[in-house]
């Protein structure tokens, strides 16, 4: 059993979509207070970008900078935790999962009217375990729990004034 961001294209697997999640460009409030204005996607090119190591992106769904037309990442790590901490410290701009924003209150979404990415989570299981009652129960609890938590956290990210 695995949670992935894209369904497999081969193999003896069952795939169940867990749900969609949103991502936006974000930066620390401290960075935004001193940085040049960011009014359009083109303005992003004038700022340091925090993101993944391009050659280590193993799934096209994880290439968040492609929709921005950005190829150069000044601060790169394939660890989301490292990226979030760089952004929290004011290192630049990056793509952030909306469901992570309640845990980083110093970050602010920007350009929300210009860019919103949507991705999905999928539960992947071997077809051999489809009759296992305990695994089926666990899968149901996992899927429903993830759906509820993503919606709850994204609602907090949408709170008026960016307050979490």
């Amino acid at each position: 059993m695995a949670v992935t961001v894209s369904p497999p294209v081969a193999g003896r697997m069952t795939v169940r979509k867990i749900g969609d999640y949103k991502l936006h460009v974000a930066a620390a409030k401290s960075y935004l207070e001193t940085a040049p204005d960011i009014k359009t996607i083109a303005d992003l090119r004038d700022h340091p970008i925090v993101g993944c190591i391009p050659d280590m992106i193993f799934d096209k769904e994880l290439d968040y900078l492609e929709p921005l037309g950005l190829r150069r990442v000044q601060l790169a790590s394939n660890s989301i935790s490292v990226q979030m901490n760089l952004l929290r410290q004011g290192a630049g701009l990056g793509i952030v999962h909306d469901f992570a924003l309640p845990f980083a209150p110093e970050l602010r979404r920007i350009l929300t009217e210009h860019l919103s990415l949507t991705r999905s989570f999928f539960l992947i299981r071997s077809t051999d375990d489809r009759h296992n009652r305990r695994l089926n129960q666990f899968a149901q609890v996992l899927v429903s729990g993830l759906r509820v938590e993503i919606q709850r956290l994204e609602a907090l990210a949408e709170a008026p004034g960016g307050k979490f």
Side-chain angles (χ1 to χ4, degrees):
M1 196 174 297
V3 175
T4 65
V5 294
S6 61
V9 294
R12 294 181 29 156
M13 307 287 179
T14 60
V15 178
R16 181 175 180 186
K17 185 175 178 179
I18 296 171
D20 294 334
Y21 60 92
K22 300 263 188 242
L23 303 104
H24 287 91
V25 179
K29 183 179 176 189
S30 61
Y31 177 83
L32 295 171
E33 288 171 349
T34 61
D37 285 345
I38 305 167
K39 295 181 180 171
T40 68
I41 291 175
D43 293 336
L44 298 176
R45 291 177 181 84
D46 300 330
H47 297 269
I49 302 296
V50 174
C52 288
I53 301 166
D55 291 340
M56 293 182 70
I57 297 173
F58 62 88
D59 190 312
K60 68 178 176 53
E61 296 298 321
L62 299 173
D63 188 359
Y64 303 133
L65 299 179
E66 176 68 27
L68 304 176
L70 299 173
R71 303 264 186 255
R72 190 172 43 104
V73 177
Q74 287 80 5
L75 297 164
S77 173
N78 280 37
S79 165
I80 296 302
S81 178
V82 170
Q83 289 179 32
M84 287 291 288
N85 283 313
L86 286 166
L87 292 171
R88 292 173 80 183
Q89 297 302 314
L93 309 174
I95 300 289
V96 175
H97 299 80
D98 283 11
F99 60 73
L101 288 170
F103 304 102
E106 60 278 1
L107 294 182
R108 297 291 177 260
R109 297 183 315 161
I110 59 171
L111 299 176
T112 57
E113 65 281 356
H114 297 288
L115 178 75
S116 177
L117 302 176
T118 301
R119 297 293 191 269
S120 302
F121 285 127
F122 298 90
L123 181 66
I124 311 303
R125 297 176 60 186
S126 168
T127 56
D128 295 336
D129 74 14
R130 71 181 173 269
H131 298 297
N132 184 309
R133 185 181 57 81
R134 286 188 294 174
L135 287 177
N136 289 337
Q137 287 175 330
F138 174 75
Q140 182 57 41
V141 169
L142 178 66
V143 168
S144 59
L146 282 172
R147 285 177 180 161
V148 167
E149 192 63 1
I150 290 167
Q151 290 174 350
R152 183 184 76 81
L153 293 171
E154 286 187 346
L156 289 174
E158 291 285 336
K163 305 234 189 261
F164 302 109

